[in-house]
Amino acid sequence: MAGLNPLRLACRVWTLGLTLWATQAPAAEGPLRLCMAESAALPARVWQEAGLGEPAQRQLDVFTAALLARQAERPVQALVLPWRRCLLEVQNGRVDGVLGLSYTPERAEWAVFPLRQGRPDDALRLRRDAYHWYVNTTQPPRWDGARLQSDKPLRLGTVAGYSVVALLHQQGYELDTQTANSAATLRMLALGRLDAAALLPGEVEPWLAREPTWSRHIQRLDPPLEQRSYFLAFSQAYAQREPEQLARIWQALAVVRDSALQRRAEADAVGG
């Protein structure tokens, strides 16, 4: 085991698009290393229809990274990590960027977002999503769009590293649990170990479609807690090392986001 990269030992890594070089592509240093949270699984036919090599793990954001590699004519290395670990890797410059990060002023201190007139450029986003309360249906709390209410003390949770953590603290909520991913939170919610959790439908709904035993015990409350846009954000180290690449990759991601292949993959992810 001596000499092995500890990052490769700590996570699952797939290298995508390594044969997608073109002569007109600007020179760059090796593959673009992007970390991302675990996302919904896709059927093998989605990869086949896109003409992509099928990786060991057929996840939606890994698929997006593969499309990005082809569109940007740049090899991409996708690293699927627990969300908090992913953010730490970007902060420390051990990966080049993170796929699916919402903007906050605090994050902008260590991550480079696409900006327009000093604000996040929504035209270059990856996706939009909104935090919702998901509740256990046994004794669900009430939600009026402003405050979660119950006749008993509530056990609340979310995923560690989510931007909604700061919002919930500002609103006076105490979080009992911050898990590694949405699936772990949903499992606790379905088992009644949590009463409510602030989560993203884009991550939750595919799980509920595949896990009927969970969906029977879990309900989403409307309206949402907060709507947000999500971006590909680069580490400060990468932005300083390859500043000429940033705009080119963000533009390529916008093309991928609006492509028929990406939209079909997103529909397949939620069972559409």
Side-chain angles (χ1 to χ4, degrees):
M1 301 292 286
L4 288 180
N5 186 330
L7 184 57
R8 288 187 63 90
L9 294 176
C11 63
R12 292 163 291 177
V13 180
W14 298 278
T15 302
L16 306 171
L18 292 178
T19 62
L20 297 176
W21 290 105
T23 56
Q24 68 270 29
E29 297 179 9
L32 180 68
R33 298 168 301 155
L34 298 183
C35 70
M36 58 203 68
E38 185 176 359
S39 53
L42 296 174
R45 62 171 174 77
V46 174
W47 297 82
Q48 296 163 1
E49 291 170 0
L52 296 169
E54 188 180 334
Q57 193 84 350
R58 302 190 304 265
Q59 297 183 12
L60 175 60
D61 282 354
V62 178
F63 179 82
T64 304
L67 293 182
L68 176 63
R70 185 159 68 187
Q71 180 65 33
E73 299 174 313
R74 174 74 188 271
V76 172
Q77 190 178 59
L79 300 91
V80 179
L81 301 168
W83 188 237
R84 178 177 282 177
R85 169 70 185 282
C86 189
L87 302 187
L88 289 173
E89 295 298 318
V90 177
Q91 290 180 54
N92 294 326
R94 289 192 287 264
V95 298
D96 300 322
V98 54
L99 193 63
L101 186 67
S102 64
Y103 177 91
T104 68
E106 294 75 19
R107 287 173 171 176
E109 294 179 1
W110 49 264
V112 179
F113 291 83
L115 302 178
R116 184 179 179 86
Q117 297 179 343
R119 299 180 61 84
D121 188 351
D122 208 55
L124 299 178
R125 72 189 183 280
L126 168 63
R127 64 172 66 97
R128 294 191 184 103
D129 208 341
Y131 284 104
H132 282 255
W133 284 115
Y134 284 82
V135 299
N136 182 283
T137 56
T138 303
Q139 289 182 298
R142 299 175 296 279
W143 169 243
D144 60 7
R147 193 71 192 169
L148 200 63
Q149 300 175 3
S150 177
D151 297 329
K152 64 173 186 176
L154 292 174
R155 297 163 297 174
L156 306 178
T158 189
V159 174
Y162 272 7
S163 62
V164 78
V165 171
L167 174 67
L168 294 176
H169 286 160
Q170 290 169 9
Q171 295 180 347
Y173 293 105
E174 293 186 7
L175 293 171
D176 295 85
T177 301
Q178 295 185 48
T179 63
N181 52 52
S182 293
T185 309
L186 290 171
R187 188 177 295 107
M188 294 183 69
L189 199 56
L191 292 172
R193 296 174 184 169
L194 289 173
D195 299 303
L199 297 169
L200 294 165
E203 297 181 3
V204 169
E205 298 303 329
W207 277 109
L208 295 184
R210 295 197 305 271
E211 298 288 345
T213 56
W214 292 359
S215 62
R216 285 196 293 268
H217 299 286
I218 296 174
Q219 174 187 356
R220 188 179 81 182
L221 302 183
D222 291 309
L225 262 165
E226 182 184 33
Q227 297 185 7
R228 300 190 68 84
S229 292
Y230 294 82
F231 301 89
L232 166 56
F234 292 102
S235 69
Q236 293 283 354
Y238 180 82
Q240 293 171 13
R241 188 171 69 250
E242 297 191 37
E244 73 286 350
Q245 294 288 319
L246 305 190
R248 179 172 167 271
I249 296 170
W250 281 323
Q251 291 288 350
L253 183 64
V255 173
V256 167
R257 177 198 69 216
D258 293 334
S259 69
L261 286 172
Q262 178 69 16
R263 289 175 176 174
R264 282 202 298 270
E266 290 170 354
D268 275 304
V270 295

